[in-house]
Amino acid sequence: MRKAAITIGLVLTSLLFGTGCPPDQDSPTATRGEHSGKPKLDSALPSATLEARIQNGRDVYQRGEYDSARTILESALGEARRSSDSATEARVLTALGLTAYRQGDYGQARARQEQALALKRAIDLTDEFWKSYNALGLIAWNEARLSDALALYGKAVEHAPTEEDPGSLAAILNNQGLIHTDLGNFAAAHTAFERSRAVSAASGETRLHGIALNNLGMLSIWVGNPVEAVSYLDKAMPLYRSVDFVPGELNALGQLGTAYTALGEIGSAIAILDSALQLSRQRGMRQEEASNLEALAEAYRIAGDFQRALHLYGEAERINEDVGLVDEAGSDQRSRAEIYAELGEFEGARRYALQAVETHRSIDARWEELADLVLLADVAHQLGDHDASAEYLETARSLAREFDARTARVDVVLTAARIADRENDHPRVLRTLTAAREDLSQGAYDTEWEAEHLRARAWLGLGVSDSAVAAGRRAVEAVERVRAGFASGVLRTAYASSRLDAYSVLVRALLLDGDVGGGLEASDAARGRALLDHLTAAGLADDGARAAALTLGEGEEILRRITELSARMQEFDEWSVEERDSSVLADLRVRLAQARTDYEALRVRAIEQDRVGVALLGGGLATAREIQDALRPGEVLLEYFVTPDGLVSFVVSRDHFSSFEHPISGENLARRVRIARSLIADREAAPQSLRAVLKDLHKVLVAPASEDLAAANRVIVVPHGVLNYLPFAALLDETTGRYVVEDYALQLVPSAGVLSVLRARSVPGDYPRSGVAGGVAFVPFHRSLPATRDEGRAFGRTVPRARLVEGGNATERRFREALAQPRLVHVASHGVMNARNPMFSRIELAPGRGESGPNDGRFEVHELLVLSVASPLVFLSGCDTGLGVAGSTEFVWGEDYATLAQAFLYAGARNVIATLWAVEDQGAADFAGQFYETLAASDPVEALAAAQRASLADERYSAPYYWAAYQLAGDGLMPETQN
């Protein structure tokens, strides 16, 4: 099946026509880097007339006129033979071999190259052997004879004139690296590219140096390290420009676009790919222009701009048709069909899918036709045309049998199972999947998750709860493995969100089975992972990180290797049975099985090494019994699980579990939360409108648990998805007319499992009231935010032995030092959420004079994660310090909880207070003063509730806008602090 479009060209340097020959360019490919060779003068020179003819053939070849080039070179070959000029004959045979390769005649290409090599051997033209081996390696590579290609490149290295022409070795090493990449030998590929880089840099081969760096960047993307890729590619770009090597520059731009897409920085990716598009247009490189359009279309598709993506695919399709790339034009049509299907516009999807089938049939592109038919079968079924759907699926099944390829069979099986699921034909789903069990278990985890998910839905539909639970657990486990294979934390979170139904089915199956505790555990597994996603994806789990991050990061490297090995297997599946190298395929299967085994063992080791850290990152689970044991008398935990179709609420006390289901859709709930937040933020909004919304949400979220809450004085909320951005303290009980905070003290945790490990690391005892002593308040912008000085002074008045650090003295360095001490830390400043990548969300402090890096005044999440925070309480009194991605942009159901607060908890803070929206300066100052006055004889949860109740009683601050933004996350306890 076609891979995601990436603008990288397969660049070849002529090995044939003499020194100074410019490179020619092959068609773009989504998975290959730059292939390279090194020209060299022949030792024996032909006559001037024959040389002129060869030069003419070279010029025509460079223009892409391969038929004409072949005619001219055949004439030159005849003349060389008539004059018994064996050296020139060998040279022209090599050129003819490459020409045949360009025309797709690999048999003729191989025959010509073998003739040339035999002739070179006969006349002992040893310094030319490497060129023939290199060319034969290229042909073997394109025929998917990878083992043969690797052996041929090995011989090319043996014969390369490394002393007088070190660039020849650099070229071959690049080619070797590409073969190792295709074989999934990523360490060997990296070694080859690094050797090529070193040799070309030492010998001043600028173009080859750029190619080596470019290929290192490509490899870094494939193995899931886009940050490293950007570094390599940024170094390759100026090298290409210095020698005006436009194909290389286009290649690097495309790779950069891919790297930034992997980082979740879609805006940067689009800007870079747009530059590549403009460059290809300026140079009249139509094929590259189409490839760049496809890459841009895919970026816009990821960004959710489907109309722009459709337009760009349409432009690419027209260019591909103009330049004769019919196969690619059909793939563009299929991409448009897929987008229309995503939008639910199935008539449009069917129209373009039919066009794709017709286009691919016209050139007998049967593998692509199979992909078209599978899509068409699904779309036709969505339109209610079941007969046509069955016909398309049967045709696809016949093609899959013809290919005898696992991936083809899996595509057909999953489509058939999806259709049966849509018809609620549960027995047919099970029969379909059981027949393909072996195929489904041999690849990466992505197909495995869907198969198990469909199986779980079928058993659930049949009411067989134990089988539904078993299949549901396997589906969730596979989802967790797949998400870690993404290089981007943003894409991981999005992937898990799109697969939320796997968790939903498992929760429903457990509840059907009467296992409320198990349902709670499954619900807990569906949240709290975004911090881990960004931490390990960005490669930030370095030597300063905790064992959890280091070990889980290592595990995710294995998962990325699993993904890449599976992708290699799929590429081989696309070749006919006769063309496949069975030994390579068998080796890939063995290594894939070993990688899966390695991952399972490492996951267990991670939890054994750092259970607290794993839980805080969302990588480990607590049992229902452990969650209960973490609760104190008078506490009740409310955990929510939001799905597109409904809401499940779990209520947990020390001796009781219960659950409630509400049919409210995720979209409906998100709309209500959005309305509530907008009304709270608008101080001019009609109070009755706000109260009506808050009452409505209370009915859904709190009222069903009223009996369980009757004896409680504290509620621990575990929100999910959109509920992370709802101020629970402001929900209004219509039966009493009281806000929730008037009856209960509230605290939040990212997951119930986090509560158990936070409490486990705390000192024993219930709510100690030993008082607090010592703390530091940071007020870096007291001039632009004058009320923050009042806030800092209130801290100083109410916290014994407190210090106030203002203005330019409130530096990031001092903030770090304060966090390392067991004292309270209060910061009244700006909080800035990075919606694209929460790892770079930050607190603004004063920069150190003349300093940058870790003391630049931008205290970012990734910097926090490698610190050891000793503070029992960090109060982030800023704007939006409690928001994650969804709160900053859109409410997306299923998104994880990724905030500054969670990062502080991971780094060691006991409790963190943060805000859900921009707080008013003077109100914040008065609120902080009230909080710290109460904290002197209380714990932080009760102090927060007291401050909120005091605001309610104050006419100036009684509106929820002033007090409902504050939320506390953590263990809720307060040990005695030190001087």
Side-chain angles (χ1 to χ4, degrees):
M1 307 301 171
R2 195 177 122 192
K3 304 164 191 68
I6 300 173
T7 15
I8 62 175
L10 173 59
V11 181
L12 300 166
T13 300
S14 174
L15 312 177
L16 318 169
F17 298 116
T19 303
C21 172
D24 59 306
Q25 184 165 321
D26 198 2
S27 58
T29 169
T31 57
R32 293 183 174 178
E34 294 196 47
H35 223 290
S36 52
K38 172 68 182 175
K40 183 177 181 296
L41 272 173
D42 291 316
S43 55
L45 296 177
S47 67
T49 303
L50 182 53
E51 177 61 29
R53 188 170 299 166
I54 294 172
Q55 178 65 31
N56 185 29
R58 178 182 71 83
D59 293 341
V60 173
Y61 175 94
Q62 293 292 343
R63 293 198 298 269
E65 300 171 11
Y66 302 126
D67 287 334
S68 298
R70 186 171 189 168
T71 300
I72 295 168
L73 291 170
E74 289 283 6
S75 174
L77 178 64
E79 184 174 337
R81 284 173 171 170
R82 286 191 295 273
S83 59
S84 300
D85 186 347
S86 299
T88 300
E89 180 183 351
R91 188 174 159 217
V92 176
L93 281 167
T94 307
L96 281 166
L98 187 57
T99 304
Y101 157 77
R102 289 296 193 178
Q103 294 177 306
D105 188 348
Y106 296 137
Q108 176 71 4
R110 187 167 57 252
R112 290 296 196 184
Q113 297 295 353
E114 289 171 349
Q115 290 171 16
L117 180 59
L119 190 54
K120 291 173 185 178
R121 285 174 174 158
I123 60 177
D124 201 27
L125 198 61
T126 55
D127 60 346
E128 291 290 307
F129 284 4
W130 76 274
K131 294 182 180 179
S132 293
Y133 285 127
N134 204 28
L136 285 166
L138 170 63
I139 295 165
W141 185 48
N142 280 271
E143 291 180 324
R145 294 183 292 110
L146 301 190
S147 299
D148 290 346
L150 203 57
L152 288 163
Y153 284 135
K155 290 182 179 179
V157 169
E158 292 175 17
H159 291 88
T162 55
E163 292 186 7
E164 59 269 34
D165 186 10
S168 61
L169 176 61
I172 301 165
L173 286 168
N174 261 321
N175 298 344
Q176 276 188 323
L178 292 171
I179 300 299
H180 281 304
T181 303
D182 272 357
L183 287 168
N185 298 328
F186 305 124
H190 188 272
T191 299
F193 292 145
E194 275 292 355
R195 284 186 64 198
S196 178
R197 182 198 59 75
V199 170
S200 55
S203 60
E205 293 283 353
T206 302
R207 184 187 58 80
L208 289 172
H209 187 189
I211 289 174
L213 287 167
N214 198 97
N215 285 341
L216 282 164
M218 169 207 68
L219 183 64
S220 296
I221 293 170
W222 284 359
V223 299
N225 194 343
V227 174
E228 182 181 69
V230 170
S231 175
Y232 283 128
L233 295 164
D234 280 343
K235 294 173 184 174
M237 290 289 290
L239 294 176
Y240 285 149
R241 286 170 180 159
S242 70
V243 294
D244 195 29
F245 186 37
V246 177
E249 186 178 351
L250 279 170
N251 193 305
L253 283 169
Q255 297 280 15
L256 273 171
T258 305
Y260 279 111
T261 298
L263 285 168
E265 299 182 23
I266 305 299
S268 297
I270 287 172
I272 290 167
L273 291 169
D274 189 64
S275 296
L277 177 62
Q278 298 309 316
L279 182 60
S280 61
R281 284 173 171 169
Q282 290 168 9
R283 297 300 181 107
M285 303 170 76
R286 298 275 284 164
Q287 189 171 319
E288 287 66 34
E289 180 183 355
S291 183
N292 285 320
L293 285 165
E294 290 164 346
L296 268 173
E298 193 62 23
Y300 278 111
R301 184 175 176 179
I302 291 171
D305 190 344
F306 296 116
Q307 293 305 316
R308 180 66 173 160
L310 287 168
H311 174 73
L312 291 167
Y313 274 125
E315 285 191 60
E317 178 190 343
R318 288 188 289 274
I319 294 173
N320 281 322
E321 288 174 344
D322 289 345
V323 299
L325 292 177
V326 180
D327 189 359
E328 285 298 310
S331 295
D332 293 330
Q333 291 162 348
R334 185 171 68 240
S335 293
R336 295 170 88 180
E338 289 168 348
I339 292 174
Y340 275 115
E342 287 179 48
L343 294 171
E345 297 180 20
F346 296 112
E347 285 292 356
R350 177 159 61 179
R351 181 171 68 255
Y352 282 107
L354 285 169
Q355 289 180 17
V357 169
E358 184 179 347
T359 300
H360 286 131
R361 280 178 177 169
S362 71
I363 56 170
D364 200 30
R366 297 173 71 75
W367 185 270
E368 297 294 343
E369 181 189 344
L370 173 60
D372 303 333
L373 287 166
V374 167
L375 174 61
L376 196 51
D378 203 11
V379 168
H381 192 270
Q382 293 276 13
L383 288 167
D385 192 347
H386 293 186
D387 290 341
S389 175
E391 183 180 342
Y392 293 136
L393 195 59
E394 184 54 40
T395 305
R397 189 175 287 112
S398 298
L399 279 176
R401 284 194 293 265
E402 178 184 322
F403 279 111
D404 191 25
R406 185 193 66 85
T407 51
R409 294 192 297 269
V410 166
D411 279 348
V412 173
V413 164
L414 287 178
T415 302
R418 271 185 236 117
I419 289 172
D421 175 73
R422 199 176 294 135
E423 294 178 356
N424 291 319
D425 190 341
H426 308 306
R428 180 153 57 99
V429 171
L430 295 172
R431 288 195 305 272
T432 301
L433 295 172
T434 300
R437 187 181 293 275
E438 183 177 353
D439 279 338
L440 290 167
S441 65
Q442 289 183 8
Y445 293 108
D446 200 15
T447 53
E448 197 170 316
W449 95 263
E450 186 176 7
E452 294 298 345
H453 173 57
L454 289 168
R455 188 176 282 115
R457 284 176 57 87
W459 285 121
L460 189 61
L462 292 169
V464 185
S465 59
D466 56 346
S467 295
V469 167
R473 290 195 190 282
R474 292 192 295 269
V476 166
E477 288 167 2
V479 168
E480 292 304 325
R481 292 159 185 158
V482 174
R483 73 185 297 179
F486 287 104
S488 160
V490 171
L491 296 181
R492 292 182 191 193
T493 300
Y495 176 84
S497 297
S498 67
R499 305 296 187 266
L500 189 65
D501 198 37
Y503 300 91
S504 176
V505 168
L506 178 57
V507 169
R508 287 162 53 204
L510 286 161
L511 294 180
L512 177 66
D513 204 36
D515 186 356
V516 178
L520 172 66
E521 293 168 6
S523 167
D524 219 38
R527 69 196 70 233
R529 222 66 50 81
L531 192 63
L532 172 62
D533 289 345
H534 289 279
L535 175 69
T536 49
L540 295 166
D542 58 20
D543 291 339
R546 297 174 52 160
L550 291 171
T551 309
L552 293 176
E554 180 185 346
E556 299 199 351
E557 287 295 327
I558 297 175
L559 284 167
R560 284 192 281 267
R561 188 163 79 242
I562 289 171
T563 300
E564 291 306 321
L565 289 170
S566 181
R568 294 287 162 267
M569 289 175 61
Q570 181 169 333
E571 287 178 21
F572 277 98
D573 269 349
E574 295 181 19
W575 292 79
S576 67
V577 176
E578 295 77 18
E579 293 171 316
R580 287 181 211 149
D581 187 330
S582 59
S583 63
V584 171
L585 196 56
D587 178 63
L588 286 171
R589 284 199 182 102
V590 169
R591 284 193 286 144
L592 178 62
Q594 184 59 53
R596 288 169 66 120
T597 300
D598 291 346
Y599 176 76
E600 305 304 333
L602 189 139
R603 188 79 177 183
V604 173
R605 178 158 59 90
I607 296 174
E608 290 173 348
Q609 287 180 331
D610 186 4
R611 186 168 179 268
V612 174
V614 170
L616 284 167
L617 288 174
L621 304 175
T623 66
R625 182 69 258 174
E626 289 171 330
I627 294 168
Q628 281 188 304
D629 290 343
L631 296 173
R632 269 44 176 190
E635 287 184 335
V636 171
L637 181 142
L638 290 179
E639 174 158 320
Y640 299 96
F641 184 61
V642 184
T643 76
D645 303 321
L647 171 73
V648 179
S649 306
F650 293 91
V651 186
V652 186
S653 65
R654 290 171 61 89
D655 55 9
H656 178 67
F657 286 113
S658 61
S659 65
F660 303 93
E661 295 188 52
H662 195 289
I664 186 172
S665 70
E667 183 179 349
N668 187 352
L669 185 61
R671 183 170 59 252
R672 297 189 196 189
V673 171
R674 185 181 294 108
I675 292 171
R677 281 176 53 91
S678 64
L679 288 173
I680 290 175
D682 182 3
R683 281 173 279 181
E684 304 301 321
Q688 62 270 26
S689 298
L690 174 58
R691 293 175 68 86
V693 173
L694 295 176
K695 287 178 181 178
D696 190 42
L697 285 167
H698 185 279
K699 286 182 189 177
V700 174
L701 299 170
V702 181
S706 57
E707 289 186 15
D708 297 275
L709 294 173
N713 54 43
R714 182 176 302 203
V715 176
I716 300 171
V717 178
V718 185
H720 185 226
V722 67
L723 297 180
N724 281 295
Y725 314 106
L726 177 68
F728 277 81
L731 299 185
L732 198 59
D733 187 340
E734 70 172 356
T735 63
T736 64
R738 294 167 62 85
Y739 291 106
V740 166
V741 74
E742 294 183 85
D743 295 320
Y744 311 102
L746 295 173
Q747 73 183 83
L748 274 71
V749 285
S751 69
V754 165
L755 178 70
S756 69
V757 296
L758 285 175
R759 290 275 173 90
R761 75 182 186 187
S762 300
V763 295
D766 298 336
Y767 315 136
R769 286 165 172 75
S770 54
V772 292
V776 187
F778 290 84
V779 183
F781 307 114
H782 60 280
R783 290 187 174 86
S784 58
L785 299 172
T788 59
R789 174 174 281 178
D790 295 338
E791 192 172 337
R793 289 172 177 170
F795 179 87
R797 286 194 306 271
T798 53
V799 177
R801 291 178 294 283
R803 290 188 296 116
L804 174 61
V805 185
E806 294 182 315
N809 293 320
T811 64
E812 182 177 351
R813 187 183 304 281
R814 290 190 176 183
F815 185 59
R816 291 167 181 269
E817 292 170 355
L819 290 173
Q821 302 299 318
R823 297 189 176 97
L824 306 181
V825 176
H826 183 99
V827 56
S829 180
H830 299 292
V832 180
M833 294 307 302
N834 184 325
R836 186 65 64 188
N837 191 341
M839 291 303 294
F840 293 93
S841 297
R842 66 184 185 273
I843 298 169
E844 296 281 2
L845 294 154
R849 293 182 178 86
E851 296 189 50
S852 60
N855 198 31
D856 60 4
R858 297 159 57 94
F859 186 63
E860 295 171 330
V861 168
H862 66 87
E863 298 175 284
L864 171 60
L865 292 172
V866 297
L867 297 182
S868 180
V869 175
S871 173
L873 173 67
V874 180
F875 195 134
L876 305 175
S877 180
C879 302
D880 305 338
T881 52
L883 288 184
V885 181
S888 305
T889 52
E890 298 177 353
F891 295 103
V892 181
W893 60 264
E895 255 190 9
D896 286 296
Y897 182 71
T899 69
L900 285 166
Q902 188 184 0
F904 271 103
L905 293 176
Y906 174 74
R910 293 278 299 274
N911 297 284
V912 183
I913 294 177
T915 53
L916 284 174
W917 53 78
V919 291
E920 188 265 339
D921 272 5
Q922 190 57 54
D926 291 346
F927 187 93
Q930 179 65 53
F931 171 79
Y932 287 113
E933 284 180 13
T934 310
L935 187 65
S938 180
D939 65 72
V941 179
E942 291 188 358
L944 180 63
Q948 290 174 317
R949 291 163 187 164
S951 294
L952 261 170
D954 187 327
E955 186 177 339
R956 295 172 300 166
Y957 304 129
S958 60
Y961 164 80
Y962 292 98
W963 52 265
Y966 297 93
Q967 294 191 136
L968 182 143
D971 64 15
L973 309 180
M974 178 65 75
E976 184 176 359
T977 55
Q978 306 298 317
N979 293 336

